[in-house]
Amino acid sequence: QVQLVESGGGLVQAGGSLRLSCAASGRTFSRYAMGWFRQGSGKGREFVAANSRSGGNTYYADPVKGRFTISRDNAKNTVYLQMNSLKPEDKAVYYCAADDAFGTIVAGRCTYWGQGTQVTVSS
């Protein structure tokens, strides 16, 4: 079992930045690929970014490429999502997820999920 707890959400003006964190506990963090997803009001959950076990491979959804950066610190059992140049359409609940395989993260079929953190972007 892996427990995931997100933090760092909040209210920011358009063009601003936020950094989300996801702290993992339980099994060895470095054995898991990690990802971030989001769900806006009235919308389905969508993939945002993924990070391989070592952090060497990353993958981003087109809407966030060049603005968001996923990273991880295996010594701290934490994955991050740095969000820059935020837009009103980035408003959503952001979820952290973990799975054994990088490809499974990208496909959204993750085994473990956090409870989410709200990001609101004002125009």
Side-chain angles (χ1 to χ4, degrees), residues 30 32-34 50-60 70-74 102:
S30 59
Y32 293 101
M34 301 297 296
N51 188 303
S52 63
R53 298 176 184 183
S54 67
N57 289 331
T58 57
Y59 186 75
Y60 297 93
I70 187 171
S71 62
R72 65 191 294 160
D73 186 337
N74 284 346
F102 181 71

Side-chain angles (χ1 to χ4, degrees), residues 33-37 47 49-51 70 79 95-98 105 110:
M34 301 297 296
W36 287 95
F37 294 77
F47 168 79
N51 188 303
I70 187 171
V79 63
Y95 298 90
C96 172
I105 294 283
C110 308

Side-chain angles (χ1 to χ4, degrees), residues 37-104:
F37 294 77
R38 66 186 182 185
Q39 186 167 15
S41 180
K43 300 180 181 179
R45 187 167 57 198
E46 64 174 349
F47 168 79
V48 174
N51 188 303
S52 63
R53 298 176 184 183
S54 67
N57 289 331
T58 57
Y59 186 75
Y60 297 93
D62 285 344
V64 307
K65 281 181 181 176
R67 300 188 298 122
F68 291 11
T69 302
I70 187 171
S71 62
R72 65 191 294 160
D73 186 337
N74 284 346
K76 295 183 177 180
N77 290 357
T78 302
V79 63
Y80 305 98
L81 185 68
Q82 178 67 45
M83 305 186 293
N84 298 329
S85 302
L86 282 161
K87 304 175 181 180
E89 52 263 44
D90 294 318
K91 176 183 176 181
V93 177
Y94 283 72
Y95 298 90
C96 172
D99 199 89
D100 289 339
F102 181 71
T104 306

Side-chain angles (χ1 to χ4, degrees), residues 10-40:
L11 173 64
V12 64
Q13 288 188 331
S17 298
L18 279 175
R19 187 176 81 156
L20 305 182
S21 299
C22 173
S25 61
R27 291 187 174 181
T28 305
F29 179 70
S30 59
R31 67 170 287 180
Y32 293 101
M34 301 297 296
W36 287 95
F37 294 77
R38 66 186 182 185
Q39 186 167 15

